[in-house]
Amino acid sequence: MDNGGLQAVLPTGASFLTTPNIDHLVLPVESLVGARKRWQELGFTVAPDAFHPFGTSNACVFFSDGTYLEPLAVQDEALAGQSITAGNCFVEKDRTFRQAGAREGFSAFVLRSTDAVTDDERFRQSGISAGNRLDFSRTVVDENGSASVASFRLAFADLDSSSFFAFTCQRVNAALPTAGPSVEHRNGALGLGALFLATEGSRGIENLATMLGVHVQEKDHKYVFPLGNCDVEVAMEIAPELDNTPRYPTGLRGIGIRFRVRNIAETRSVLQEASIPHQSSGERLIIAPAQGQGCIVEFVQA
């Protein structure tokens, strides 16, 4: 494959460093109850439910590397609909994903940002904006039970897909836990290792390269975007262990997540204790999608 046209360079004035970092991943689920049960069975610590002011809710899984998972449910359908009418890109993209036939899955990755206003301007100038910037605040409760108001700014990029999107997140006054009980997991998970996407042909790859602003590498029939804290891998040919992943109408789709763990034997023991089916491949453990976990999960020794 010729990727000469994909050698994107981060523009001067972009709000994240030359090599951006993943902030979190969005994982639509039918219910937070089911998601909590599944991710706890996999050995993860799941934070208390939290609610957005636009109709969605989450139950996050935080890691010591400053990243996290966001299992996302629709808490209030009417409010979510009103938010979409008002131009809320986040809720609109989530609904599009769910209406595409995927009841659960991996719908978006989020880049850490220091200036979502600049991100939004860059996406518009590059022709990849997916919609209006979203600024919002919500109440957060820490592990000690103390409540505070956290504020966020989000800027959205169009990846030419009906089932996958991406945005940047600026935490105006919202700290992430990187130590303590909330980032300690029975399976020994330390953080993200790689994100697995797939696409037909090269659809969405150029927009993805423009958004990430890093030089893409080509190897083994896939494009690899090396980020600061994990890789984004886009497969052009689906590996056998990914064949059971739901197919979507067009463009990029989320396939799975690789986690770095402290001790792979410790992780295997947790899966065996919970009677979770898994495949072993060298120092990798692979778990197929299940209720509450809409994508493939892979564990590797850190």
Side-chain angles (χ1 to χ4, degrees), residues 154-216:
L154 313 181
F156 299 88
D158 179 9
L159 299 184
D160 193 21
S161 171
S162 62
S163 58
F164 198 81
F165 65 108
F167 55 97
T168 66
C169 177
Q170 177 188 357
R171 300 176 180 283
V172 180
N173 62 340
L176 279 174
T178 56
S182 61
V183 301
E184 296 172 0
H185 305 283
R186 289 190 304 114
N187 57 24
L190 302 173
L192 304 179
L195 315 181
F196 304 120
L197 312 181
T199 190
E200 295 78 22
S202 60
R203 183 165 182 175
I205 296 293
E206 292 190 13
N207 285 20
L208 179 62
T210 299
M211 184 209 183
L212 294 176
V214 298
H215 291 289
V216 62

Side-chain angles (χ1 to χ4, degrees), residues 5-12 14 18 122 126 209-210 212-216:
L6 301 180
Q7 301 300 315
V9 178
L10 194 68
T12 300
T18 301
R122 180 169 73 87
S126 302
T210 299
L212 294 176
V214 298
H215 291 289
V216 62

